[in-house]
Amino acid sequence: MVSLPIKLKKALILIGAFLYFGLEVQSQTPGTGTWNVLTGRYNIDKRWHVFAELQLRSQQTYHHFNYYEVKGGLGYNFLPNLSGLIGTGRYVTHPVDQDFGRPVLQTEQRVWQQLIYNQKMHSIRIEHRLRAEQRYTSAGYRNRFRYRINFIVPINKKQIGDNTLFMSASNEFHFNNDGVFYEQNRLYWGLGYQFNKSWSFQSGWMYRIDYFKNNRAQYKNYIQASLQFTLNSKKSSAPRVVGSVD
């Protein structure tokens, strides 16, 4: 039997408790959807970087695609463990019972600002992300505020490097200042592989809960898959970044 260090055991117990209390046992919406992400990042130097991302989501397993988003942004590393980003994107929602059916249900142009703070506990990285969103939708203007805590645990090495298998677990909370205050919760668990300093892949399970007025809620399971590539300029000495589900 493999003996784990006491600090690592405590960390894994903490992650397990975090996942357990994030679950709500309720009936699910029919079928398992997919949540597909392609992210590109370019490190200009040790401080500045830009990124672009495409997402496709479906209500069933790789059919009934009903949502996509295209976004990008500019980021800055204030400290090795603290970074900020300003981004914008276009988000489009289609009917749920066919592939990109008509009419379009909602379009949105979004601007957001975020801060990411990273902690280390033994070999585990704990990422805290705060995000404020300004949402210009076809149904009107809305604000939204998000907090995500994400645990990244290397499995076959002491830290993330080339050829590293890792586990990722996160819980994100979405809040509004108008209407339903606690709007959404996203619980994620998955495995990933860091091939080298340029490429990483993750796949796992996403459990999304949407809350509405009159105590209504909608629950959905997703299979998540994400591919991230990173390019570095000659001036860049930026630290290695493991992609996270957005």
Side-chain angles (χ1 to χ4, degrees), residues 151-169:
F151 297 85
I152 298 174
V153 185
I155 295 174
N156 63 330
K157 295 188 178 183
K158 292 184 178 180
Q159 61 182 8
I160 301 294
D162 291 354
N163 303 310
T164 304
L165 180 68
F166 61 89
M167 183 190 77
S168 178

Side-chain angles (χ1 to χ4, degrees), residues 57-59 62-66 94-102:
R57 302 178 196 168
S58 67
Q59 290 297 303
Y62 290 104
H63 65 102
H64 291 180
F65 284 91
N66 75 309
H94 293 259
V96 300
D97 58 351
Q98 52 186 310
D99 290 323
F100 300 116
R102 297 290 178 175

